[in-house]
């Protein structure tokens, strides 16, 4: 009943650019959530890689939900960071969420396809 934070992984379809992938994922989420309202959609960076912030609200059976989602990718591996809160995420909470996401670092070294936090 408070803020939750999840990280999920996906694979970019062959030949698809990150921006197209992000827009497709955001559109799929929007079409599947009741009373979806896009609040903010901004480009950003995570560890020097292209990223997209999607902030939105929707209605669940338990009440209104507010989410901040950041999508990013390294090569063909995508990461989706999602913070969810019943009711509203305050501006201060949003700043802390984004500060947390910005601490993420992709693994460097021989296996550059691995997407792991350090």
């Amino acid at each position: 009943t408070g803020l939750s934070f999840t990280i999920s992984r996906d694979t970019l379809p062959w030949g698809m650019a990150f921006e197209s992938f992000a827009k497709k994922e955001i559109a799929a989420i929007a079409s599947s959530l009741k009373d979806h309202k896009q609040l903010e959609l901004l480009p950003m960076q995570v560890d020097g890689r292209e990223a997209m912030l999607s902030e939105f609200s929707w209605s669940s059976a338990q009440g209104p939900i507010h989410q901040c989602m950041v999508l990013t990718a390294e090569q063909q591996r995508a990461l989706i960071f999602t913070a969810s809160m019943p009711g509203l995420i305050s501006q201060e909470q949003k700043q802390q969420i984004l500060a947390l996401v910005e601490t993420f670092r992709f693994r460097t070294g021989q296996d550059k396809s691995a997407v792991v936090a350090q």
Side-chain angles (χ1 to χ4, degrees):
T1 59
L3 182 77
S4 67
F5 187 82
T6 60
I7 303 172
S8 55
R9 297 183 305 179
D10 204 344
T11 302
L12 272 68
W14 182 85
M16 183 178 276
F18 168 75
E19 184 176 354
S20 297
F21 171 81
K23 288 180 179 179
K24 179 180 172 242
E25 289 296 308
I26 292 165
I29 289 168
S31 68
S32 67
L33 298 176
K34 182 181 176 188
D35 301 326
H36 178 274
K37 181 178 179 188
Q38 187 73 50
L39 304 172
E40 189 168 39
L41 186 60
L42 294 172
M44 59 180 288
Q45 288 194 343
V46 173
D47 193 23
R49 274 71 165 193
E50 186 176 15
M52 181 75 65
L53 165 66
S54 175
E55 181 180 356
F56 55 95
S57 62
W58 58 282
S59 298
S60 76
Q62 293 77 32
I65 303 291
H66 190 166
Q67 292 185 288
C68 286
M69 183 172 70
V70 176
L71 300 95
T72 191
E74 167 68 10
Q75 298 179 10
Q76 293 305 112
R77 301 282 189 147
L79 283 178
I80 304 168
F81 303 88
T82 307
S84 303
M85 174 79 114
L88 294 173
I89 295 174
S90 72
Q91 198 59 32
E92 294 83 8
Q93 289 169 319
K94 179 181 171 183
Q95 290 171 351
Q96 291 177 28
I97 291 163
L98 293 177
L100 175 65
V101 170
E102 289 171 359
T103 67
F104 179 83
R105 299 294 176 259
F106 287 91
R107 179 184 289 175
T108 57
Q110 292 180 335
D111 184 8
K112 293 195 181 230
S113 67
V115 179
V116 179
Q118 292 184 337

